[in-house]
Amino acid sequence: MANTYPNKNYKSDIKFTTQLNRVFCRLLGIWPETETSFLKSLERFSLILGCYFLLSCELIPTILYIIFVEKRARVRLKLISSIMFTVLSVLKYSSLVLSKNRVRDCLARVKNDWRNVAGANTRNSMLEKAKTARRLLILCGIFMYTSGLYFRTIVPLSKGKTVTSQNVTIRYLPCPSYFVFFNGQISPAYEIMFFIQFCSGFIKYTITVAICSLAALFAMHLCGQLEILMTLIDNLINETEVKNLDKRLALIVEHQNNMRNFLRLVQSTLGNTSLLEVMGCTIILCLLGHDIITEWEDQNVISMCSYLILLTSIGFNIYIFCFIGEQLSVEGEKLALAVCTFAWYRLPYTKARALMLIIAMSIVPTKLRAGKFFDLSIRTFGDVVKTAVTYLNFIRKIME
């Protein structure tokens, strides 16, 4: 069967490209499987239900703790960042679950491009982009899971036990919580809730990594398709046979249409999650910055380091989104420059006219947008940082 496709190594190429993405998405039950058996559907449904259950087990008690137990404004503000991150994770996860069919269509396009890639140079170009996507995924995973492990284990355990004036022993959880129907300080309730909150944090970080992995995979694949399109256009002037020239022009038009359709599909799939990621994390960065300052003032080194690590990981995650958007935009600008400086005058007059629509489509910017509000680029990352600092100064003034 593999011999019917131009790329005989397409199975290994597809596995290399999507291997890590499959791992993270399957943990969340959102990876589109080829099998549609009852057991597979039941497994996916159970994973999705389990993720929502774990997220709810952290979110609801923390909200109750802020409402009924904690009265200090500074501590409440610290907990709001944790609540916002959990709410943001629920919204992003819901968006992924609802757009599962579009993710399946995107992956089908990626697999089809790998099957039909012709030539060693174009295959190597796509492999380089796939390697870049894997590196971004690995870096995002290292940052998110390292910060999460530190925040979920070292920080609460390092606080030890506190005995109140009423001779009540308090043991700390990763997220302070209020449980209406039972006492969370008594064993084994404390150990169970500690484990549940640890798993909830793991789910939240996996959601972030999964979204980043899909965005990197699709965006870098688009960059590879743009490079292939530039190669096809450059090779036009080397063709002398009119019949072959018509085939090459038809191939360019087909490739360009497929690439544009794929870009629109990726935009519709990741637009909402990108918007949630950028806007939500901007506010979280602001709150984490305030937490770092307050912990510095209280000389609480362990907590300050945890917030600093979280700030770095979330900031790096936003940077990855902006970076892949910038890379796609740069490749689009390279394509526009290539078609505008193409030696069209070396082609027959009737064939040169066929390039007009190709040039017109090529100069349309290829960008990823967060929703329909702003482009993902390095400039956007700078705006996010400036906005977070502005909000941080505003909160500092209010809390003084």
Side-chain angles (χ1 to χ4, degrees), residues 267-278:
Q267 179 63 53
S268 64
T269 304
L270 299 176
N272 292 333
T273 53
S274 300
L275 181 63
L276 288 170
E277 189 75 35
V278 175

Side-chain angles (χ1 to χ4, degrees), residues 173-186:
L173 289 168
C175 293
S177 305
Y178 174 64
F179 307 105
V180 179
F181 301 106
F182 61 92
N183 186 354
Q185 294 294 318
I186 302 175

Side-chain angles (χ1 to χ4, degrees), residues 51-65 79 81-87 89 151-152 174-179 193-194 196-205:
C51 290
Y52 278 118
F53 173 76
L54 289 172
L55 292 172
S56 300
C57 285
E58 177 182 326
L59 179 62
I60 296 174
T62 306
I63 293 176
L64 293 177
Y65 182 84
L79 295 176
S81 61
S82 177
I83 290 176
M84 284 199 61
F85 189 68
T86 306
V87 171
S89 297
F151 185 77
R152 297 274 158 171
C175 293
S177 305
Y178 174 64
F179 307 105
M193 292 312 304
F194 193 100
I196 287 176
Q197 289 193 2
F198 179 85
C199 292
S200 174
F202 178 79
I203 294 299
K204 289 193 291 184
Y205 306 134

Side-chain angles (χ1 to χ4, degrees), residues 121-386:
N121 291 333
T122 52
R123 178 173 175 267
N124 291 334
S125 176
M126 290 178 64
L127 282 174
E128 284 299 318
K129 299 302 180 183
K131 290 177 183 178
T132 301
R134 283 172 66 98
R135 294 189 193 104
L136 292 174
L137 167 57
I138 291 171
L139 285 173
C140 180
I142 290 173
F143 272 90
M144 293 305 301
Y145 287 122
T146 301
S147 62
L149 181 65
Y150 184 86
F151 185 77
R152 297 274 158 171
T153 56
I154 296 176
V155 173
L157 294 178
S158 65
K159 294 179 181 178
K161 301 178 181 179
T162 302
V163 180
T164 64
S165 56
Q166 291 81 22
N167 200 26
V168 177
T169 302
I170 302 296
R171 293 186 290 180
Y172 294 94
L173 289 168
C175 293
S177 305
Y178 174 64
F179 307 105
V180 179
F181 301 106
F182 61 92
N183 186 354
Q185 294 294 318
I186 302 175
S187 296
Y190 171 80
E191 286 77 11
I192 293 173
M193 292 312 304
F194 193 100
F195 179 73
I196 287 176
Q197 289 193 2
F198 179 85
C199 292
S200 174
F202 178 79
I203 294 299
K204 289 193 291 184
Y205 306 134
T206 304
I207 291 170
T208 302
V209 175
I211 292 174
C212 179
S213 70
L214 292 175
L217 170 64
F218 298 147
M220 299 313 296
H221 184 77
L222 274 168
C223 290
Q225 297 306 301
L226 286 168
E227 287 190 357
I228 293 174
L229 183 59
M230 282 186 279
T231 303
L232 292 174
I233 293 174
D234 290 338
N235 290 338
L236 271 180
I237 58 175
N238 299 324
E239 186 58 59
T240 57
E241 293 285 339
V242 175
K243 185 178 180 180
N244 292 336
L245 190 60
D246 289 336
K247 291 182 179 179
R248 292 201 176 195
L249 284 170
L251 182 62
I252 290 173
V253 172
E254 182 181 7
H255 188 88
Q256 192 172 46
N257 285 334
N258 290 338
M259 187 269 298
R260 285 288 172 180
N261 291 334
F262 183 52
L263 177 61
R264 284 192 288 269
L265 182 59
V266 171
Q267 179 63 53
S268 64
T269 304
L270 299 176
N272 292 333
T273 53
S274 300
L275 181 63
L276 288 170
E277 189 75 35
V278 175
M279 295 189 66
C281 288
T282 300
I283 302 175
I284 293 174
L285 285 176
C286 162
L287 295 174
L288 287 175
H290 180 267
D291 295 340
I292 292 171
I293 294 174
T294 54
E295 296 296 347
W296 174 271
E297 292 173 348
D298 296 337
Q299 297 182 350
N300 192 339
V301 178
I302 295 178
S303 296
M304 185 188 70
C305 290
S306 69
Y307 289 124
L308 185 61
I309 293 172
L310 285 173
L311 178 74
T312 305
S313 61
I314 293 175
F316 182 76
N317 189 61
I318 299 177
Y319 177 78
I320 289 179
F321 272 86
C322 295
F323 174 78
I324 60 178
E326 181 76 15
Q327 289 296 109
L328 184 60
S329 179
V330 169
E331 290 294 335
E333 291 174 359
K334 289 181 181 178
L335 175 63
L337 181 62
V339 296
C340 290
T341 57
F342 178 68
W344 55 268
Y345 49 84
R346 295 174 58 181
L347 298 175
Y349 176 70
T350 55
K351 306 303 177 186
R353 287 190 302 176
L355 291 172
M356 293 178 62
L357 292 178
I358 296 176
I359 295 173
M361 288 186 65
S362 298
I363 61 178
V364 176
T366 54
K367 296 181 178 180
L368 285 178
R369 297 181 64 83
K372 296 182 180 179
F373 295 93
F374 46 83
D375 300 329
L376 293 176
S377 63
I378 300 299
R379 182 177 180 180
T380 302
F381 178 74
D383 293 338
V384 166
V385 174
K386 289 187 289 185

